Amino acid sequence: MEITVCRSGDVALLDRYLGSPGATSFHARRFARQEAGDCTYLVAWLDGRPVGHTELRWIGCAAPEVALDCPEIGGLAVWPEELRSRGIGTALIRAAEELARERGLTTVGIGVGKDNPRAAALYARLGYRPVTDYLDRYTYEDHDGATRECVDACVFLVRELPSGRLDVKRA
């Protein structure tokens, strides 16, 4: 497995293998944020195809309930499902943490849906601790052209990063 920073040509592959729920490409939106300098979008590759991704939002969590000044790891996904629990998500999180450490940052946050105990258990194993509840709000355009608004009950977690460099392989 290899983890790289998303390139413009990767967006179509991400849409093909890890599609968005509607007509709006979440991958194109994340790539645009990366181009604007607001985030770094990481992609996990296995045998030449994308199998996971996460976004390290340098601007932090957009939810007003989260009043912390730290970057947020978001949009973490591994697909197909049979590849979960094989270390891909952990590798993506560690790569994001290393990017934050390279910028001299000492704390990173991540949100988790209250209905996602599997992800919450992973984040706890990786040293993330709950700080506050919040509502994650986002919109997308559905295939029928309608704008869908989503609100997910979440918990924001933080981790203090250890000093020193981790052994993370990135291209």
Side-chain angles (χ1 to χ4, degrees):
M1 184 194 54
E2 176 183 35
I3 295 175
T4 65
V5 173
C6 186
R7 300 168 299 244
S8 62
D10 298 339
V11 173
L13 284 171
L14 286 162
D15 283 334
R16 180 175 168 197
Y17 288 104
L18 302 157
S20 300
T24 305
S25 169
F26 282 18
H27 309 296
R29 291 167 71 173
R30 290 176 182 133
F31 183 75
R33 284 194 292 264
Q34 176 176 278
E35 291 292 286
D38 293 339
C39 78
T40 300
Y41 192 28
L42 298 172
V43 181
W45 299 88
L46 186 62
D47 299 327
R49 72 174 253 223
V51 294
H53 57 79
T54 196
E55 175 184 23
L56 181 59
R57 293 176 53 104
W58 299 111
I59 57 176
C61 182
E65 303 95 326
V66 180
L68 297 170
D69 185 20
C70 68
E72 176 194 24
I73 298 170
L76 179 67
V78 173
W79 189 260
E81 286 187 41
E82 58 265 16
L83 292 178
R84 293 181 184 158
S85 298
R86 295 191 183 183
I88 297 169
T90 297
L92 283 162
I93 291 169
R94 293 302 191 215
E97 290 173 347
E98 184 58 28
L99 289 174
R101 194 179 351 274
E102 287 171 1
R103 289 193 179 193
L105 301 171
T106 58
T107 305
V108 174
I110 193 167
V112 63
K114 290 185 176 187
D115 62 349
N116 194 349
R118 184 175 179 178
L122 168 63
Y123 305 153
R125 280 193 309 274
L126 295 177
Y128 285 83
R129 300 292 171 246
V131 174
T132 190
D133 294 345
Y134 72 103
L135 296 175
D136 183 26
R137 295 176 171 87
Y138 60 96
T139 61
Y140 67 93
E141 183 180 331
D142 205 340
H143 292 291
D144 62 8
T147 299
R148 304 289 178 205
E149 295 184 31
C150 302
V151 179
D152 297 325
C154 295
V155 177
F156 196 77
L157 312 152
V158 297
R159 178 171 186 257
E160 298 298 320
L161 300 174
S163 59
R165 184 171 173 83
L166 293 177
D167 184 22
V168 175
K169 295 180 182 179
R170 269 193 335 267

